[in-house]
Amino acid sequence: MEWGRAKSILIITFLLLNLLLGYQLWISNINLLNPFFGGNEMIQETRKLLEEKGIEIRGEIPTEKLNLNQITIDFDEKVQKDISFELISPVDVDEIISGEVNKTFLDEIEDFDQYQYDEVVSDENQQVFNQLYENLPLFDVQLKLYGSEGQLTHYDQQVAIVTPDITEEEQEVLSAPLVIHLLAEDYLKQGEVIEDIQLGYQGFESNPQALFPKWRIALGSGDIYYVHAFTGKVEVIQSI
């Protein structure tokens, strides 16, 4: 009996070791491919794959090369989450989209200039802005403006206090061409349309909350993919 138990433990240990080695090899292969797909000359390779699969991409594929690290955020307790406030004067949706809003509006919402408009998740009755950190959006820290019939009358605001992780060295993020290539090979369907590609931070629901650099790829169907910019792990939020 003891030998049988020991044998089972050894088998399980070897299986776990093989899984770990396989994961490390997968990550190593991604990191080796990253420089290959990082330069402008290799964007054509990605576009060729998209063309072969009938996948359309709107706009240009980002080519910046960045070194980033994970961050931690705490929501500012002074700002009550999910509490709606009424604007002194309604604001036209067109003004928000164009960025030509009046001074009264700018003064009314605290630190409005620290947020970036998010066209992907906005619609006629809800305009969404993401808080910025080092010029990158925090996809889950939002300022939302609500209303109807083209007029925005209320808002709610999240404010995050950001703490960078100084215990780990910064890592080079996976390039956008590589991320698009990986999605096109294994996830995207024939005829898909890529509407938007953006690098930002996104993480888990907790407090404090750890956020990791992630590429957000939004499709014309409404589906949104988040790709971990270090590991290449893919998460999908499907449209309803």
Side-chain angles (χ1 to χ4, degrees):
M1 291 293 294
E2 291 299 325
W3 167 242
R5 183 180 180 184
K7 184 178 179 181
S8 297
I9 292 173
L10 284 173
I11 292 173
I12 293 172
T13 301
F14 280 120
L15 285 174
L16 291 174
L17 180 60
N18 286 333
L19 287 172
L20 177 61
L21 291 174
Y23 174 77
Q24 290 177 334
L25 180 60
W26 177 63
I27 294 297
S28 297
N29 287 337
I30 286 181
N31 289 333
L32 286 173
L33 284 172
N34 194 35
F36 180 75
F37 282 93
N40 290 336
E41 69 279 1
M42 295 313 304
I43 293 179
Q44 298 303 318
E45 293 295 326
T46 300
R47 287 194 175 278
K48 180 180 178 182
L49 176 61
L50 296 176
E51 184 177 350
E52 290 174 353
K53 299 196 70 172
I55 299 171
E56 181 183 353
I57 184 167
R58 304 277 171 83
E60 297 297 322
I61 300 176
T63 59
E64 68 265 34
K65 297 180 180 179
L66 296 175
N67 292 315
L68 298 173
N69 211 337
Q70 76 176 63
I71 60 176
T72 301
I73 65 170
D74 281 293
F75 286 100
D76 191 342
E77 295 180 356
K78 295 182 295 183
V79 179
Q80 299 183 55
K81 184 179 179 183
D82 297 329
I83 299 297
S84 181
F85 299 92
E86 186 174 0
L87 292 168
I88 295 173
S89 300
V91 179
D92 289 338
V93 170
D94 292 340
E95 291 183 31
I96 294 295
I97 296 174
S98 66
E100 298 177 356
V101 293
N102 59 54
K103 188 176 185 302
T104 301
F105 172 78
L106 294 176
D107 292 341
E108 188 172 352
I109 297 181
E110 186 176 358
D111 295 326
F112 180 74
D113 61 344
Q114 300 300 311
Y115 291 79
Q116 181 184 75
Y117 181 60
D118 192 341
E119 183 179 5
V120 169
V121 294
S122 295
D123 57 41
E124 183 180 355
N125 297 322
Q126 175 178 280
Q127 300 297 302
V128 179
F129 294 74
N130 298 312
Q131 184 177 331
L132 294 173
Y133 172 70
E134 300 291 341
N135 293 319
L136 293 176
L138 309 177
F139 291 122
D140 295 327
V141 185
Q142 298 177 330
L143 164 66
K144 298 179 181 179
L145 300 161
Y146 302 94
S148 61
E149 298 180 354
Q151 293 284 302
L152 303 170
T153 56
H154 293 75
Y155 73 94
D156 64 55
Q157 182 179 19
Q158 294 177 310
V159 177
I161 301 170
V162 180
T163 304
D165 187 344
I166 60 175
T167 63
E168 299 287 341
E169 292 185 2
E170 291 184 342
Q171 302 179 52
E172 183 179 355
V173 302
L174 300 178
S175 69
L178 174 58
V179 167
I180 297 300
H181 198 279
L182 293 173
L183 286 179
E185 281 189 322
D186 299 323
Y187 292 90
L188 303 185
K189 301 175 183 177
Q190 189 82 15
E192 294 273 25
V193 178
I194 300 174
E195 294 279 0
D196 185 75
I197 308 165
Q198 190 169 180
L199 181 64
Y201 287 94
Q202 195 255 356
F204 305 102
E205 290 295 334
S206 62
N207 192 27
Q209 185 171 347
L211 302 184
F212 297 89
K214 293 184 180 180
W215 286 102
R216 187 187 71 177
I217 294 86
L219 305 184
S221 63
D223 291 350
I224 296 176
Y225 287 86
Y226 286 98
V227 182
H228 198 299
F230 295 152
T231 67
K233 181 181 178 181
V234 177
E235 304 166 28
V236 61
I237 299 177
Q238 293 184 325
S239 59
I240 298 175

